């Protein structure tokens, strides 16, 4: 038998850190005000109805407002938008986070980031409590995906560009 690692928070995180993930700034607005946080725990669920999930730590400063607003926008970052990931990734005052980037709105009123590789404007249709996190089940009511820019990848605790070289670059 192969010797396995003990399953601890540290071994789980170290193994999960090996998985490459797109980086998103998840925003929300409404009666509880504008808020946002950086997330890699975002995943497509089904296209019928168009649904994705977002995992949010209940201790995050954005948590209460996201749940009260009941809407959010998943803004998937371009490789040039690493500074936004850092601004929304914790500790920065909420008003200062939104000083980075240009913002508009679509259907729900959640802030929509200009220049993202995709924007999924969503209603939160279900919430599952799993350990420290809430899994927010989100139905997309409007989508933008206009830029050709490469995406931002987070893997091994570092940022990379998802630029795919074409034949001319090789
Ligand atoms: N730190 C966490 O609370 C959790 C981390 N993970 C996974 O473990 C990997 C390694 O994480 P770290 O060792 O913390 O370093 P990291 O360098 O990958 O994470 C960067 C920052 O993002 C935060 N973060 C990353 N994923 C998160 C999540 N799902 N929920 C809340 N905060 C999250 C971290 O606490 C840290 O402040 C992550 O990339 C993620 O895949 C999974 C669940 C919770
Ligand atoms: C690259 C990266 C990925 C993250 N992914 C998640 C995530 O998927 N879910 C989550 O709850 N927090 C995630 N975080 C942490 C939040 O963005 C934020 O730091 C945390 O909620 C605490 O922020 P606060 O100071 O506003 O409370 C991530 C942070 C970074 C930098």
């Amino acid at each position: 038998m192969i010797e396995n690692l003990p399953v601890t928070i540290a071994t789980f995180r170290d193994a999960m850190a090996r998985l490459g993930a797109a980086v998103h700034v998840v925003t929300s607005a409404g009666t509880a005000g504008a808020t946002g946080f950086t997330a890699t725990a975002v995943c497509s669920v089904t296209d019928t109805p168009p649904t994705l999930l977002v995992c949010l730590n209940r201790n995050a400063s954005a948590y209460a407002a996201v749940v009260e607003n009941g809407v959010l926008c998943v803004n998937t970052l371009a490789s040039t938008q690493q500074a936004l990931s850092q601004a929304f990734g914790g500790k920065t005052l909420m008003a200062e986070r939104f000083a980075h980037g240009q913002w508009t709105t679509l259907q729900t009123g959640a802030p929509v980031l200009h220049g993202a590789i995709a924007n999924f404007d969503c209603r939160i249709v279900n919430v599952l409590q799993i350990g420290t996190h809430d899994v927010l089940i989100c139905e997309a009511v409007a989508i933008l995906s206009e830029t050709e820019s490469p995406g931002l990848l987070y893997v091994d605790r570092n940022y990379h560009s998802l630029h795919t070289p074409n034949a001319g670059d090789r």
Side-chain angles (χ1 to χ4, degrees):
M1 203 169 100
I2 301 168
E3 200 171 327
N4 55 273
L5 294 168
V7 180
T8 63
I9 291 173
T11 58
F12 177 80
R13 286 192 186 184
D14 286 349
M16 289 303 298
R18 305 301 313 277
L19 278 65
V23 184
H24 316 267
V25 166
V26 179
T27 55
S28 180
T31 49
T35 193
F37 64 100
T38 298
T40 50
V42 172
C43 180
S44 169
V45 177
T46 173
D47 63 1
T48 315
T51 304
L52 43 83
L53 65 78
V54 176
C55 302
L56 173 57
N57 192 311
R58 285 191 297 282
N59 286 328
S61 63
Y63 173 77
V66 170
V67 171
E68 183 179 326
N69 290 335
V71 297
L72 59 78
C73 185
V74 174
N75 301 283
T76 307
L77 298 185
S79 61
T80 51
Q81 294 178 316
Q82 189 180 318
L84 274 136
S85 176
Q86 281 147 350
F88 282 81
K91 310 292 175 264
T92 309
L93 288 174
M94 212 44 86
E96 289 175 25
R97 296 183 190 191
F98 285 100
H100 297 257
Q102 288 177 271
W103 304 91
T104 182
T105 56
L106 285 167
Q107 296 283 318
T108 72
V112 172
L113 175 64
H114 181 78
I117 63 168
N119 311 87
F120 302 89
D121 192 27
C122 300
R123 289 186 302 116
I124 301 171
V125 294
N126 210 339
V127 179
L128 309 172
Q129 279 197 6
I130 309 287
T132 52
H133 283 54
D134 274 11
V135 181
L136 309 174
I137 310 294
C138 305
E139 186 173 332
V141 295
I143 292 174
L144 269 185
S145 185
E146 287 178 338
T147 171
E148 296 288 314
S149 307
L152 183 65
L153 181 71
Y154 191 70
V155 61
D156 285 335
R157 301 188 167 99
N158 276 308
Y159 295 97
H160 304 268
S161 170
L162 263 176
H163 176 68
T164 313
N166 61 31
D169 295 332
R170 286 187 198 129

